[in-house]
Amino acid sequence: MDAIIDAFNKSQSDITVKNVKLEWGEYYTKLVTGVSAGKGPDIGISHVSKLPELIKQGVVSEIDDVAKAANLNWGDYNQNILNATISGGKHYAVPLDTHPFIMYYNKKLLQDAGALGADGKPKIEPGADGFVKFLSGIKDKLPKGVSPMALSNNGDDPYRLWWAAYSQLGGNDIISDDGKSTAMDMDKAVKAANFVKSLYYDSKVIKPNDPDFYKSFQSGQAAVMMTGVWATGTWEATKDFDFGAMPIPNLFGNTKTWGDSHTIILPVTKDNDAKKRQAALAFAKFATENGQIWAKAGHIPASTKVVDSAEFKNMKYRSDYVSVAKDVVFPKQSDKTWPKNDILKKYLDEIWLNKTPAEDALKKIDNEVKSLLAK
Amino acid sequence: MRIVRTVVSLLLALFFLLPLSWMLVVSVKDEAMKIKGVLDWYKPPYTLDTYFYVFRETSLLRWMFNSFVVACAVTVLVVLFTSMSAFALSKIRFRLRGFVFVFILAGLMIPGEAMIIPLYQVVKELGMLDSYQGLILPAIASPFAVVVLKSFFDSVPNELIESAEMDGGGLFKIYYSIVLPLAKPAIASIAILTFIGQWNNFLWPFISITSEELFTLPMGIPTLLSQYTKDYVRPMAINSISSLPVIIVFLFSRSRLCAG
Amino acid sequence: MKAKQLRLDVKAFLFLLPFLLLYVVFTIFPMFKGLQMSLYDWTLIRKMKFVGLDNYKHMAQDPGFWKSLWNSTYFVILTTPTMLVLALVLAVICNRKSRLQRFYRSVFFLPSVLSVSVVAYVGMYMIQPYTGFTNNFLKMLGLLNPDKELFWLTEAPLAWIAIAGITLWWTVGVNMILYLSAMQDIPEDIYEAARLDGATDGQMFFRITLPLLGPITKTILLLQIIASYKVFLQIYIITRGGPGTDTRPIIQYIYEEGIKNNHMGYAAALSYSLFVILMLISLLQLRVNSRKGAVM
């Protein structure tokens, strides 16, 4: 993001954009409290999945007026994501990227274990069994202390893998079409959960309770790992690190996966200054039209022009997973998506910790999401 | 027997120092260090690079400055305002004195943390969210200092004040030149406790401040540390930089605090 | 005479004004504001609609509320007795005549001056599996099998031990000082008389020191209970309330509901439950102390 802002600030002299970085999961809290205090920023980022909640809270403003004035062509954006940014016929955000959940692998470790094909890709047979066989097969061939796979045992990433497996099985959206109840496919959800759990406890291909699984992979302590595409930039910046990127393997008949998308929003401000709003949109336009800068971190740009550009096509790794963008199964747009995901992660964690059987945990999820939606 | 006791005491003391020593020593290591056992952390090589990096790349100094400004302002105002109130309650025979005292005393029972959500709303309606005033003013409204200082002023003999009144001193002059100097030890304790409390205050700044320029140290530290990666050196350098000033102040003022 | 009284009233009022103004605005008024909010559907951005007692009814059936209230209570039960014992032991060490007396006092009090963020982060990094300090230290002492790892963050009992241990280390110094000053108030001649009667050190401690520390123990006990109910940040940083919600305290739940999930009205109702509990404990404290004849 800093690179885009630098480029933008250099490209013209009327507008200066200043960035405030907030790590630590409190970004949205600060955005909402900032807006509520009348001290919100002029530009913000929102996940497309969070957008309906922010719109309902009155944190995000409509941008049709400024977009028109800036000649923003909505046709240049990935229509799937664009549709998710429209509410009540009005645009609320400019799509910036898609960031799917993918798999990374350490080429050298796989090569030494004899599991890398001539095409430089891991030799994995299709199906969940094929994937487990691949991991179990390299387990003994890897150097001592190196685990076949790295994944945290709680929070986001195992949840994402679960969602990928559940989606590959053809599971319904968790929220029913009318948005008032749940529509989870219990059998498929349990099957997907037991698959993820088996990686920790049955085939034991993941190091238990790894405090920092990014670092484990980065330092060659794990042969494969799964996370969002944003890690690409980090691996590229690591010295002497020969890695590859690929879609989540075909576990249940296809390669569907988890993903989300960043969009640029104009938060509601106290003075509603037209000039500042126009300037903010000019930045949004610049940032998305120059998505190749943002893609350096690893994300797939939401601007179709950028994706088709030679500059992006020549970027290493991205071309290996750009196709994944269409395999992403987005959850239904709802202002309850994030609270729902919190409930999911909370009880899925209990499965990964071997505290609660998958059936019970998912029943609890179903009940709690039901009462969330009834609120 | 004596030896056993001394050994146990010393072990306990060492045990208490372990976390701090580990924090300091990790902060001067290199992230690429190879750790096989506990002692490896304590062995050289050391480097101050991470400190320079933190000073260069983060706003830690700015937040330290904010914390210092807020803690000082709160301390000065608490001492001034609460001692004035305590003086009135103790030495001026005004009507409603009993009522006002009970009114303040009742405040001792209101736990600040439990009222943080309504306080947020009140401060929001006053338009003071995300500002120095919003950080400082609510912290002064602590009845604790008033009650402590009043009981201290009560022990100052009334004759002293009466004779000063005879000499034609106004009430403010009596407060300023007689009562305040006599209450120095109590005021010093209140000041130290208030300062440390404010320096470490987390919840209220965390909830009420949204602008990075106004972050205080305790709420700023978590924003520098990603939940997802567990580097050791940078967090410990940040912790060390944040702690060294208070540790130094403590070691200088410990005679007062630890006198018992 | 009346004019003089009026002058005194005005002067007293001027002395009281700065404090009273802030006190009313920031301490008294929020109490009533909170009551009002708890009867509304209220978000960070605006007041939505009056819902009567719905927030309280929902609270009574909300497992998240009961669990977090229990977690805070569990933390109180876990830390308060251990805190009293440890504070007493440390005070005894510091009270013994020794060349290291000042050293001991400083060392035991030192953690108390640290910021809660620092304490929480140092603690969290120490208990990381594989690369953290604690497991490696236990292995060095031979208390933990070199091939094993303790997962402090993902097993609830271990997480509680870690949180309680870190909190004790951080705050025991203040209570130690309270005990220490109470011990120093015990007249030396009582001990001398006992020594003449042939009492041993142990007897003197259990027969004289301990009973005389009764009142201060009550005070520390109550202060400690109140302080422990307010636990938040250590837990938030170290376990984020996990595993699952096994260590999530009530303040974290209030924060999450109010600020994160934007249910300010419901959070105000939750706050009131905590408020009532703490108020009852404070009243108890006031009663205990007023029996001694003092206000404080």
Side-chain angles (χ1 to χ4, degrees):
Chain A
M1 197 34 92
D2 283 336
I4 299 182
I5 291 171
D6 278 350
F8 179 71
N9 287 341
K10 276 188 200 129
S11 73
Q12 43 76 46
S13 55
D14 300 338
I15 312 163
T16 310
V17 174
K18 201 178 142 245
N19 188 22
V20 176
K21 266 185 254 177
L22 284 177
E23 290 193 43
W24 202 49
E26 307 293 332
Y27 164 71
Y28 285 112
T29 312
K30 289 292 168 211
L31 177 67
V32 176
T33 50
V35 170
S36 119
K39 299 225 175 170
D42 297 313
I43 312 173
I45 296 273
S46 169
H47 287 94
V48 78
S49 58
K50 180 84 176 177
L51 200 55
E53 191 181 335
L54 295 179
I55 294 173
K56 190 183 174 214
Q57 287 173 358
V59 173
V60 203
S61 65
E62 301 164 25
I63 54 172
D64 285 301
D65 54 336
V66 274
K68 205 168 169 199
N71 283 325
L72 191 88
N73 182 4
W74 293 114
D76 290 346
Y77 294 91
N78 175 321
Q79 294 299 304
N80 261 339
I81 304 169
L82 187 70
N83 286 337
T85 62
I86 301 174
S87 172
K90 296 186 177 89
H91 286 100
Y92 281 90
V94 184
L96 178 62
D97 71 32
T98 313
H99 47 268
F101 184 65
I102 60 162
M103 187 160 109
Y104 294 99
Y105 52 96
N106 183 318
K107 281 189 177 164
K108 188 176 177 304
L109 286 174
L110 289 186
Q111 182 86 59
D112 293 351
L116 200 68
D119 58 352
K121 298 205 161 110
K123 288 189 274 189
I124 305 174
E125 288 166 38
D129 294 344
F131 182 58
V132 172
K133 214 171 91 193
F134 161 77
L135 291 173
S136 312
I138 59 174
K139 198 172 172 185
D140 296 330
K141 296 185 191 133
L142 292 168
K144 194 176 171 285
V146 175
S147 53
M149 180 166 163
L151 196 72
S152 61
N153 71 322
N154 59 31
D156 287 321
D157 287 290
Y159 151 73
R160 289 167 183 151
L161 179 56
W162 172 82
W163 176 259
Y166 176 70
S167 301
Q168 290 192 6
L169 283 163
N172 281 330
D173 200 277
I174 311 284
I175 300 178
S176 67
D177 284 336
D178 61 4
K180 297 226 161 59
S181 186
T182 57
M184 184 155 53
D185 266 317
M186 205 42 98
D187 293 344
K188 290 170 183 166
V190 170
K191 192 171 172 196
N194 280 330
F195 163 70
V196 177
K197 185 178 169 186
S198 76
L199 299 176
Y200 297 104
Y201 293 100
D202 299 339
S203 50
K204 296 192 175 142
V205 289
I206 301 174
K207 177 167 147 184
N209 297 302
D210 194 340
D212 190 343
F213 75 106
Y214 271 58
K215 206 176 196 177
S216 295
F217 181 67
Q218 194 178 14
S219 59
Q221 300 297 302
V224 308
M225 74 96 76
M226 294 177 181
T227 193
V229 293
W230 52 81
T232 303
T234 313
W235 308 151
E236 278 176 323
T238 308
K239 243 191 277 166
D240 305 324
F241 190 41
D242 193 10
F243 72 98
M246 60 177 281
I248 297 294
N250 171 342
L251 300 167
F252 299 105
N254 54 63
T255 51
K256 294 216 160 70
T257 187
W258 174 95
D260 207 335
S261 162
H262 288 120
T263 66
I264 301 182
I265 52 167
L266 271 54
V268 171
T269 52
K270 222 188 202 163
D271 48 6
N272 203 15
D273 183 340
K275 246 174 120 186
K276 272 193 187 162
R277 284 171 51 80
Q278 202 60 60
L281 197 95
F283 174 75
K285 188 164 180 266
F286 179 88
T288 52
E289 284 174 356
N290 292 278
Q292 71 280 359
I293 309 179
W294 181 235
K296 284 199 182 111
H299 304 71
I300 303 170
S303 161
T304 46
K305 269 192 184 160
V306 176
V307 172
D308 292 337
S309 72
E311 199 180 342
F312 178 74
K313 280 190 173 145
N314 287 335
M315 290 175 91
K316 223 179 149 192
Y317 306 110
R318 280 88 183 156
S319 52
D320 296 326
Y321 59 70
V322 66
S323 65
V324 179
K326 65 176 184 328
D327 273 342
V328 171
V329 180
F330 286 100
K332 198 169 287 160
Q333 283 299 89
S334 155
D335 60 335
K336 302 271 173 57
T337 299
W338 278 50
K340 177 205 78 191
N341 289 350
D342 283 345
I343 295 171
L344 275 166
K345 282 181 248 174
K346 182 169 81 180
Y347 290 111
L348 288 175
D349 279 357
E350 293 189 359
I351 306 178
W352 320 143
L353 293 172
N354 211 4
K355 273 178 61 189
T356 314
E359 292 81 2
D360 300 354
L362 285 155
K363 253 177 229 150
K364 282 191 210 166
I365 290 173
D366 199 45
N367 282 335
E368 212 162 297
V369 175
K370 266 192 188 117
S371 73
L372 169 81
L373 296 170
K375 253 188 220 168
Chain B
M1 197 56 206
R2 224 191 132 74
I3 297 278
V4 174
R5 268 194 238 159
T6 308
V7 170
V8 169
S9 310
L10 271 174
L11 280 179
L12 255 174
L14 285 179
F15 189 72
F16 259 71
L17 287 175
L18 266 183
L20 279 180
S21 71
W22 186 72
M23 170 183 90
L24 289 171
V25 82
V26 171
S27 75
V28 292
K29 296 287 287 187
D30 185 88
E31 191 61 50
M33 62 191 163
K34 288 270 173 287
I35 302 297
K36 293 245 154 50
V38 169
L39 294 176
D40 290 341
W41 272 302
Y42 289 86
K43 283 178 196 153
Y46 305 128
T47 164
L48 282 175
D49 285 356
T50 318
Y51 280 71
F52 295 127
Y53 172 83
V54 169
F55 282 129
R56 208 173 50 235
E57 297 291 324
T58 73
S59 311
L60 208 62
L61 284 180
R62 165 88 210 210
W63 300 341
M64 231 177 210
F65 172 76
N66 285 342
S67 279
F68 184 75
V69 167
V70 171
C72 282
V74 170
T75 306
V76 167
L77 292 175
V78 159
V79 165
L80 185 68
F81 290 178
T82 60
S83 65
M84 279 164 60
S85 288
F87 172 74
L89 287 167
S90 175
K91 295 296 170 216
I92 305 180
R93 269 178 234 105
F94 61 101
R95 284 175 283 189
L96 291 179
R97 182 156 79 148
F99 170 78
V100 171
F101 184 58
V102 170
F103 180 63
I104 292 175
L105 205 57
L108 281 179
M109 288 186 298
I110 302 174
E113 276 79 356
M115 284 295 120
I116 207 101
I117 294 286
L119 180 65
Y120 177 89
Q121 189 62 32
V122 170
V123 173
K124 180 186 165 187
E125 283 167 18
L126 290 171
M128 291 201 292
L129 281 179
D130 201 32
S131 69
Y132 276 127
Q133 307 91 289
L135 279 181
I136 294 168
L137 296 180
I140 302 165
S142 139
F144 178 75
V146 178
V147 177
V148 170
L149 286 177
K150 180 196 175 285
S151 65
F152 198 87
F153 290 166
D154 283 345
S155 62
V156 175
N158 284 337
E159 294 80 49
L160 266 178
I161 290 164
E162 277 155 20
S163 68
E165 263 181 323
M166 302 263 228
D167 294 346
L171 272 175
F172 192 79
K173 200 173 162 211
I174 294 168
Y175 157 78
Y176 185 75
S177 59
I178 299 180
V179 179
L180 268 196
L182 278 173
K184 246 190 204 152
I187 286 175
S189 312
I190 294 272
I192 290 172
L193 286 177
T194 308
F195 189 90
I196 292 182
Q198 279 309 307
W199 180 264
N200 292 337
N201 193 4
F202 173 81
L203 194 57
W204 177 241
F206 173 60
I207 287 178
S208 70
I209 296 297
T210 45
S211 305
E212 202 213 4
E213 311 89 79
L214 289 174
F215 279 13
T216 61
L217 201 54
M219 65 166 297
I221 293 173
T223 67
L224 292 178
L225 303 176
S226 157
Q227 262 169 280
Y228 301 106
T229 59
K230 296 279 183 312
D231 284 350
Y232 278 82
V233 179
R234 204 157 68 96
M236 291 310 139
I238 289 169
N239 284 333
S240 301
I241 294 168
S242 315
S243 307
L244 285 171
V246 263
I247 292 179
I248 291 166
V249 168
F250 164 70
L251 291 178
F252 277 106
S253 67
R254 70 178 170 175
S255 52
R256 178 148 278 143
L257 271 167
C258 291
Chain C
M1 202 57 211
K2 241 195 172 157
K4 195 182 168 214
Q5 181 64 53
L6 193 65
R7 256 206 324 276
L8 274 183
D9 289 352
V10 170
K11 277 182 188 158
F13 178 73
L14 289 177
F15 270 98
L16 284 163
L17 184 67
F19 174 80
L20 271 189
L21 188 69
L22 294 171
Y23 176 65
V24 168
V25 173
F26 295 113
T27 303
I28 302 297
F29 182 60
M31 252 175 63
F32 296 100
K33 190 85 207 171
L35 199 58
Q36 184 205 3
M37 289 171 77
S38 73
L39 303 176
Y40 279 84
D41 185 1
W42 196 304
T43 73
L44 279 166
I45 308 283
R46 53 186 168 250
K47 181 163 83 178
M48 306 289 276
K49 62 173 192 283
F50 184 77
V51 294
L53 291 175
D54 278 8
N55 282 327
Y56 290 97
K57 279 183 202 148
H58 176 62
M59 185 169 86
Q61 296 161 2
D62 177 5
F65 161 67
W66 290 109
K67 188 164 180 189
S68 59
L69 186 61
W70 163 246
N71 284 340
S72 291
T73 311
Y74 186 69
F75 179 78
V76 171
I77 297 171
L78 206 59
T79 53
T80 309
T82 37
M83 177 71 80
L84 286 173
V85 172
L86 186 62
L88 187 63
V89 169
L90 297 188
V92 168
I93 291 176
C94 289
N95 200 31
R96 280 176 51 221
K97 289 200 176 51
S98 144
R99 261 176 303 171
L100 292 171
Q101 202 177 37
R102 274 177 73 94
F103 167 75
Y104 286 137
R105 287 181 193 183
S106 308
V107 167
F108 295 143
F109 191 78
L110 189 58
S112 306
V113 304
L114 298 178
S115 158
V116 56
S117 311
V118 170
V119 169
Y121 274 108
V122 173
M124 185 190 77
Y125 280 95
M126 286 182 82
I127 60 175
Q128 289 300 322
Y130 306 107
T131 50
F133 179 88
T134 313
N135 281 354
N136 282 308
F137 186 64
L138 291 175
K139 283 175 189 173
M140 187 177 90
L141 297 181
L143 295 172
L144 184 67
N145 187 322
D147 301 327
K148 281 218 148 154
E149 283 293 327
L150 288 177
F151 297 120
W152 294 95
L153 297 167
T154 47
E155 284 163 40
L158 285 177
W160 277 121
I161 292 174
I163 292 164
I166 289 160
T167 310
L168 281 174
W169 174 74
W170 178 38
T171 55
V172 73
V174 175
N175 294 314
M176 172 197 83
I177 295 288
L178 291 173
Y179 265 130
L180 195 57
S181 55
M183 279 179 188
Q184 286 166 346
D185 285 344
I186 301 174
E188 190 54 32
D189 37 349
I190 302 185
Y191 292 111
E192 268 161 34
R195 222 171 272 131
L196 284 178
D197 291 340
T200 64
D201 279 4
Q203 280 171 332
M204 284 196 289
F205 178 74
F206 285 106
R207 297 272 172 78
I208 301 171
T209 316
L210 216 47
L212 286 172
L213 291 177
I216 188 76
T217 303
K218 273 184 211 151
T219 307
I220 296 177
L221 180 73
L222 289 162
L223 284 176
Q224 199 50 45
I225 291 174
I226 294 174
S228 302
Y229 262 110
K230 297 175 183 172
V231 66
F232 169 56
L233 191 69
Q234 307 92 297
I235 298 184
Y236 197 55
I237 285 179
I238 294 170
T239 68
R240 286 192 91 75
T245 53
D246 287 354
T247 59
R248 177 171 67 182
I250 182 76
I251 298 267
Q252 183 185 341
Y253 193 56
I254 292 173
Y255 164 70
E256 287 180 348
E257 280 297 315
I259 309 278
K260 264 197 155 156
N261 295 340
N262 208 3
H263 301 139
M264 294 286 276
Y266 186 49
L270 292 172
S271 303
Y272 254 84
S273 71
L274 180 62
F275 175 66
V276 168
I277 292 173
L278 294 185
M279 180 102 149
L280 288 175
I281 297 169
S282 297
L283 278 173
L284 192 69
Q285 177 191 23
L286 225 62
R287 242 191 58 170
V288 167
N289 282 344
S290 64
R291 245 185 276 151
K292 280 192 329 205
V295 194
M296 274 286 296

